[in-house]
Amino acid sequence: MTETSISEDQDQFICPICVDLLKDAVATPCGHSFCMVCINGFWDQNDQRRIYSCPQCRETFTPRPVLRRNNMLAEVVEKLKNIELQAASPAHCYTGPGDVECNFCTGRKLKAIKSCLTCLATFCETHLKPHYEVAVLKKHKLVKTSSHLQKKICSQHDKVIEIYCHTDQSFICYLCTMEKHRGHDTVLAATERTQKQSDLKEEQRKFQQRIQENEKKVQELKQAVDTLKRSAQAAVEDIERIFTELIHSIEKKCCEVKELIRDQEKIELSRAEGLLDQLEQEIADFKRRDTEMEQLSHTEDHIHFLQSFQSLCVSSGSEDSPSIPVHQHLSLI
């Protein structure tokens, strides 16, 4: 197995109890691997019942299995630890925003790469080396760097919190299961995480389904809005066209009516002008005859008076004045 493949498959070398790289790795009869200290501590809780189960798959064993260190797996894990140490170069390990600093550095703090649940402290690459070299420190539980170590420690027993109690819905250590939480429905935090992870995926699936449904509704609503806008625009264009045609038609009719009125005006004016000429001619004739009559009234010749009077009276009385039908108000109604 190459160092690259070891690094890529790191999860298979994690202890399900302490959730850290295996230390003194051992395997249960069912094939799952644990730290020797972790699995023995877990089984110590069941000594009275004489029934021992795998924290991973819940398979039970009677009597208690005898565990032996898996040397080959331990060597692989040791190589993996060395790869992690080599990957962290001191020149690039100064703390930045969001990083956890080493508790033992003085001056400028280096970035912590591991936290110890036994020491309740965090360590940079340099200060972590004793945990890999000193026999007593090798038994300490190292986990991923955390700035909240106290939250992972049982306040009553100063032990690592690694069990979830369904009865009280609280996180406890293995000693709590032997005292206050004896007989309660308990499960390893890693096992509970597996179940909750499945529940979380189901919730994610539901949310993703809701998201897809809402996105579909949003798309349909946008299409409906676009359709409404196009329909409204088409209606506006239609009404503009209709009113434009109506206005043009009215204007055309208006021009036609005006033209009819002007034509009627011309006809009436022509008739009025003809009557005016006729009346003026009659007025001139009447004035001429009136003058002749005035002259005749002063003549002393009786015979001439009688002869002229007869002709003047006959001429003036035989004609009537023409009617004058002039329309002062023109209308088409």
Side-chain angles (χ1 to χ4, degrees), residues 64-299:
R64 178 171 177 166
V66 177
L67 301 175
R68 291 183 176 84
R69 185 173 185 271
N70 188 328
N71 292 324
M72 184 179 69
L73 186 57
E75 290 177 2
V76 173
V77 173
E78 194 65 29
K79 288 182 180 180
L80 186 58
K81 290 179 181 178
N82 292 332
I83 292 174
E84 287 185 345
L85 288 175
Q86 292 173 4
S89 173
H92 301 284
C93 286
Y94 290 112
T95 55
D99 292 334
V100 179
E101 61 184 25
C102 175
N103 295 138
F104 291 88
C105 286
T106 58
R108 185 176 181 182
K109 299 286 187 178
L110 294 179
K111 179 181 177 181
I113 61 173
K114 286 288 183 180
S115 294
C116 179
L117 296 180
T118 305
C119 302
L120 295 180
T122 56
F123 300 89
C124 64
E125 175 189 354
T126 302
H127 291 109
L128 183 65
K129 286 182 179 180
H131 279 77
Y132 294 123
E133 299 172 353
V134 180
V136 176
L137 296 179
K138 284 184 178 181
K139 297 181 180 180
H140 289 190
K141 292 187 176 181
L142 298 178
V143 296
K144 293 181 180 180
T145 305
S146 174
S147 59
H148 305 287
L149 291 179
Q150 289 298 333
K151 293 182 179 181
K152 298 182 179 181
I153 303 299
C154 176
S155 60
Q156 184 175 357
H157 302 105
D158 289 331
K159 297 294 183 180
V160 178
I161 293 175
E162 54 193 7
I163 298 173
Y164 178 71
C165 177
H166 281 285
T167 305
D168 294 335
Q169 296 185 353
S170 59
F171 298 94
I172 59 177
C173 70
Y174 72 90
L175 289 179
C176 292
T177 63
M178 304 171 64
E179 297 177 0
K180 183 179 178 182
H181 296 266
R182 179 185 293 274
H184 288 189
D185 180 14
T186 59
V187 65
L188 277 177
T191 304
E192 181 69 11
R193 162 67 185 274
T194 302
Q195 178 60 41
K196 295 301 182 185
Q197 188 77 19
S198 177
D199 295 341
L200 181 62
K201 288 183 179 179
E202 178 61 21
E203 288 297 319
Q204 281 184 300
R205 186 193 65 78
K206 292 180 181 179
F207 275 107
Q208 289 171 358
Q209 183 178 356
R210 291 289 300 277
I211 289 172
Q212 291 176 356
E213 291 175 354
N214 286 348
E215 286 179 343
K216 182 179 179 181
K217 291 179 180 179
V218 167
Q219 189 64 29
E220 291 175 351
L221 184 58
K222 287 183 177 179
Q223 291 177 354
V225 169
D226 291 339
T227 302
L228 177 63
K229 289 181 178 179
R230 289 194 296 270
S231 177
Q233 182 62 29
V236 169
E237 292 175 356
D238 286 343
I239 202 67
E240 286 179 347
R241 176 181 55 78
I242 291 172
F243 274 90
T244 299
E245 293 176 356
L246 182 59
I247 291 172
H248 288 165
S249 176
I250 292 174
E251 289 177 346
K252 182 179 179 181
K253 288 296 180 181
C254 181
C255 291
E256 292 176 356
V257 172
K258 287 180 179 179
E259 187 174 353
L260 289 175
I261 293 173
R262 293 303 179 189
D263 291 342
Q264 188 174 353
E265 178 188 19
K266 290 179 182 179
I267 293 173
E268 295 296 332
L269 287 177
S270 177
R271 290 180 60 193
E273 288 174 355
L275 292 174
L276 181 62
D277 291 341
Q278 183 179 350
L279 290 174
E280 288 178 348
Q281 182 63 40
E282 288 183 358
I283 291 171
D285 290 341
F286 288 152
K287 287 182 177 180
R288 178 179 56 78
R289 290 180 182 181
D290 180 64
T291 301
E292 290 177 354
M293 289 180 180
E294 180 65 24
Q295 293 176 352
L296 182 60
S297 66
H298 294 287
T299 184

Side-chain angles (χ1 to χ4, degrees), residues 28-29 43 46-47 49-54 59-67:
T28 58
W43 281 346
N46 302 315
D47 274 341
R49 293 188 297 169
R50 302 291 182 179
I51 299 177
Y52 307 92
S53 62
C54 171
E59 183 176 345
T60 58
F61 314 106
T62 305
R64 178 171 177 166
V66 177
L67 301 175

